[in-house]
Amino acid sequence: MTTPEERPEPVDVPLIQIGAPAASDAGCGDGCGCADETYESGLDPALAELLAAAGLDPVQVEDIAHLAIEEDLDGGVDVTSVATVPQDAVATGDFTAREAGTVAGLRVAEAILSIVCTSDFEVERHVEDGDRVEAGQKLLSVTAGTRDLLTGERSALNILCRLSGIATATRAWADALEGTRAKVRDTRKTTPGLRALEKYAVRCGGGVNHRMSLSDAALVKDNHVVAAGGVAAAFKAVRDRFPDLPIEVEVDTLHQVREVIDAGADLILLDNFTPAETEEAVTLVAGRAILESSGRLTLANARAYAETGVDFLAVGALTHSSPILDIGLDLREVDA
């Protein structure tokens, strides 16, 4: 058992700002000036512009890139690359798909590499995020210092493979729903710190995003219903407190569907309904609210649910269970 005397001394760890500054009415308290701060991306302006055009915050992407590299180096250097690669060596690395899928995160991978590159580097973009790719297809070629490429390789691939795996899984659902009105939608079951990137990957795969946070929309779930004393009471409480926000209400019976429709719900989450029950709910609602199916959903039954007339299929597995897309970095001499 460790005694107090044997415990290591606490270490001060610097906190890194993640994402955009707080809203203008936020802050630490009276006299705090942090809400007035603005943050500018240190990424190449052209790359930052591409990220922003894709709906990503360049500052947040840069912070994630720094965190990934700092975690991998742990205050040191890439000892293997420093020992085996001449300091002035230059090479080209080809990010190449090892299997077919849908790619996402290429610009994020560029951002990560830009953190480690000690001098200018060249990028050749072969495909774009959202493109379907085949095994053996080049996605991105980067010419830079060989040490830098090898140091940033794993961090860039970790993000690129993860996001491409999510995009690939989402594309399979989007394909299954093609020709119906239904869209596959994600949830907040995301990796802490990577929500914006993972939800971006869903968009690359043809899906749509649910709320990004607890504050941009309300979702009344079973525990809220218990706390409020009923589904209609819970809906009313949220509407009274936040009248301008969209409100989604989770229900698990047709009786509750009637209750929340009468209360004026904007969107109803049909939890664990069968396709037959879902069809009844669609008929009952008759277009008065948006309907989303959740639970019991698989790729095999996705179309059966979609053909009932619901608007969305909520699939948390897109971001919490999708396997990676296998992508590798193939190094070659500059003139090869």
Side-chain angles (χ1 to χ4, degrees):
M1 180 176 180
T2 303
T3 65
E5 292 76 17
E6 296 172 325
R7 291 172 187 155
E9 290 296 318
V11 177
D12 289 331
V13 179
L15 297 178
I16 298 177
Q17 167 71 22
I18 298 296
S24 58
D25 60 349
C28 306
D30 292 342
C32 171
C34 69
D36 299 323
E37 293 184 47
T38 59
Y39 298 91
E40 292 185 3
S41 170
L43 298 174
D44 175 79
L47 177 57
E49 186 175 339
L50 288 172
L51 290 167
L56 295 172
D57 179 359
V59 174
Q60 184 179 29
V61 172
E62 184 182 14
D63 286 345
I64 290 170
H66 274 289
L67 284 171
I69 294 300
E70 288 167 11
E71 178 182 58
D72 221 14
L73 289 177
D74 195 24
V77 298
D78 177 358
V79 296
T80 311
S81 296
V82 167
T84 60
V85 179
Q87 186 174 0
D88 59 353
V90 177
T92 296
D94 297 316
F95 287 86
T96 305
R98 304 289 194 232
E99 59 182 329
T102 298
V103 69
L106 290 167
R107 303 295 85 78
V108 181
E110 287 184 39
I112 292 172
L113 291 173
S114 75
I115 300 301
V116 297
C117 283
T118 54
S119 59
D120 292 342
F121 65 100
E122 297 178 3
V123 173
E124 184 179 1
R125 297 163 180 153
H126 305 293
V127 300
E128 293 297 329
D129 285 349
D131 287 351
R132 298 178 193 254
V133 297
E134 299 298 327
Q137 187 172 350
K138 288 183 184 179
L139 313 178
L140 178 72
S141 296
V142 181
T143 300
T146 307
R147 286 185 181 180
D148 295 340
L149 280 174
L150 294 176
T151 298
E153 173 185 5
R154 177 44 50 199
S155 294
L157 283 173
N158 283 347
I159 291 291
L160 184 58
C161 293
R162 169 70 177 154
L163 299 188
S164 296
I166 292 171
T168 298
T170 305
R171 177 56 61 189
W173 283 84
D175 287 348
L177 304 182
E178 188 173 359
T180 72
R181 66 180 294 169
K183 302 290 185 184
V184 63
R185 188 151 81 156
D186 56 26
T187 70
R188 285 173 33 255
K189 297 174 183 176
T190 54
T191 307
L194 297 181
R195 177 171 295 167
L197 298 187
E198 292 179 347
K199 283 179 170 282
Y200 167 69
V202 168
R203 299 196 300 273
C204 289
V208 296
N209 296 147
H210 196 269
R211 59 182 180 162
M212 296 296 290
S213 72
L214 291 169
S215 63
D216 56 43
L219 174 54
V220 177
K221 296 177 69 67
D222 51 358
N223 286 331
H224 301 110
V225 171
V226 171
V231 64
F235 172 82
K236 183 179 185 302
V238 178
R239 178 64 84 208
D240 290 346
R241 183 69 181 271
F242 300 101
D244 298 325
L245 285 182
I247 304 174
E248 181 174 9
V249 183
E250 179 185 273
V251 301
D252 52 27
T253 68
L254 288 169
H255 174 71
Q256 289 180 325
V257 172
R258 295 185 183 92
E259 279 191 90
V260 296
I261 276 293
D262 291 341
D266 306 302
L267 196 155
I268 302 172
L269 182 69
L270 306 173
D271 189 41
N272 285 308
F273 279 47
T274 65
E277 290 168 336
T278 303
E279 192 166 5
E280 284 188 67
V282 170
T283 301
L284 177 62
V285 171
R288 289 175 288 172
I290 296 170
L291 292 177
E292 181 170 26
S293 288
S294 178
R296 298 178 182 245
L297 302 177
T298 66
L299 270 176
N301 66 24
R303 193 164 188 90
Y305 276 93
E307 289 177 343
T308 65
V310 293
D311 300 279
F312 297 111
L313 272 61
V315 182
L318 297 178
T319 53
H320 72 60
S321 296
S322 292
I324 66 163
L325 183 68
D326 191 5
I327 299 171
L329 178 69
D330 301 321
L331 211 63
R332 56 186 167 92
E333 297 296 329
V334 172
D335 296 328

